[in-house]
Amino acid sequence: MNDFTFDDYKTMIEDHIMDFMPDVDLKSITLYEAMKYSISAGGKQIRPVLLLAACDFCGGKAAEALPYACAVEYIHTYSLIHDDLPCMDDDDLRRGIPTNHKVFGEAVATLAGDGLQSVAYEVMQKDMLLYFDDPDALKRKIKAALEIVKGAGVKGIVAGQIADIEAENKSVSKELLDYIHLTKTAALIVAAVRAGARLGGCSEHDLENLTVYAENLGLAFQVCDDILDVEGNAEIMGKQTGMDAEKMKATYPALYGIEESRKKLKQLTDNAINALSEYYDNAELFVKLAGELATRAS
Ligand code: GRG
């Protein structure tokens, strides 16, 4: 693996995130403005960075994975816009600024999410069209796109979202809570890592290890989010806090309490890091990211 840091990859994404957006059509300029508003609002870019890093880690070239990394960020951003809508979580603040529907209205925000999702698929398909005379590369790209489509789909974040909504105001089992967070939150993180690995031409063994890493990181990500929501640091979060309790959401602190949630976070972080122990310093970016996440909520 090269020596690129998280910030190096993040800069790559930020430099190119607009490259794959369609040209502005004056008849739908409001739609483009709304899509751009959320895309350029300063997300942490964790998923696309993981995709690029996994591609490099497995022997590929990050620059060639950019369309897929940006596609993941488009899908993630669409999911946040829709999640914030009044018919879902009804949030006013996201990425430190008013949510999309607060600025553009609910109808435009819904369409901005739809638009971002369709651009994601278009970007990946267009890239595949360039590789018809290189069947091995084409196969890697098809497999990577399928990982992303699945993570975004009815067994991924959409499944998680409906389970999350249906669990509101109910007491849920530990199994259901894990299912919600594995789908709602971890699915797209797992998809990003696996897609990057596929693009890099990974071995089955490396894919398996990276998947265990990503599942644990994804769950840790959610536990961290739950803890920060209770502890109420809106500045770190870039969104309102205390909302989970208000909406009686199924969360780790609600089911396990804060101290147990912290232990769970540590355990998940350790699991993620241990999954990559055989790679020593070659997996430094992944290990560091898991460690930093755990520190945010401790
Ligand atoms: C609407 C289909 C559909 C799915 C929504 C993503 C999601 C599923 C819900 C968002 C609710 C939420 C707070 C989930 C926890 C995961 C999480 C912390 C998302 C925010 O991701 P970050 O922190 O955000 O990577 P940025 O803004 O940095 O990209």
Side-chain angles (χ1 to χ4, degrees), residues 114-181:
D114 294 338
L116 283 169
Q117 181 166 212
S118 75
V119 171
Y121 303 132
E122 191 180 326
V123 167
M124 295 190 286
Q125 299 275 354
K126 274 187 178 160
D127 183 67
M128 288 177 220
L129 285 177
L130 304 174
Y131 288 85
F132 271 21
D133 54 2
D134 184 348
D136 287 341
L138 184 60
K139 270 188 219 160
R140 289 198 295 273
K141 286 160 191 289
I142 291 171
K143 285 181 182 173
L146 185 58
E147 297 288 354
I148 294 170
V149 173
K150 279 162 66 183
V154 292
K155 292 198 170 175
I157 61 173
V158 181
Q161 186 73 350
I162 182 118
D164 186 58
I165 289 169
E166 290 186 335
E168 273 180 30
N169 298 310
K170 291 193 188 125
S171 62
V172 298
S173 66
K174 291 177 178 176
E175 288 72 25
L176 181 57
L177 186 66
D178 279 342
Y179 169 80
I180 291 172
H181 295 328

Side-chain angles (χ1 to χ4, degrees), residues 42-47 73 76 78-80 82-83 88-89 94-95 152 157-158 161 184-185 221-222 225 239 296:
K44 292 184 289 301
Q45 318 286 358
I46 288 172
R47 296 154 193 81
E73 187 61 16
H76 169 59
Y78 119 71
S79 80
L80 296 179
H82 281 196
D83 183 65
M88 301 244 182
D89 264 8
R94 169 72 66 185
R95 295 178 167 169
I157 61 173
V158 181
Q161 186 73 350
K184 183 180 88 165
T185 309
F221 197 80
Q222 183 59 55
D225 193 73
K239 62 178 185 175
R296 281 179 86 207

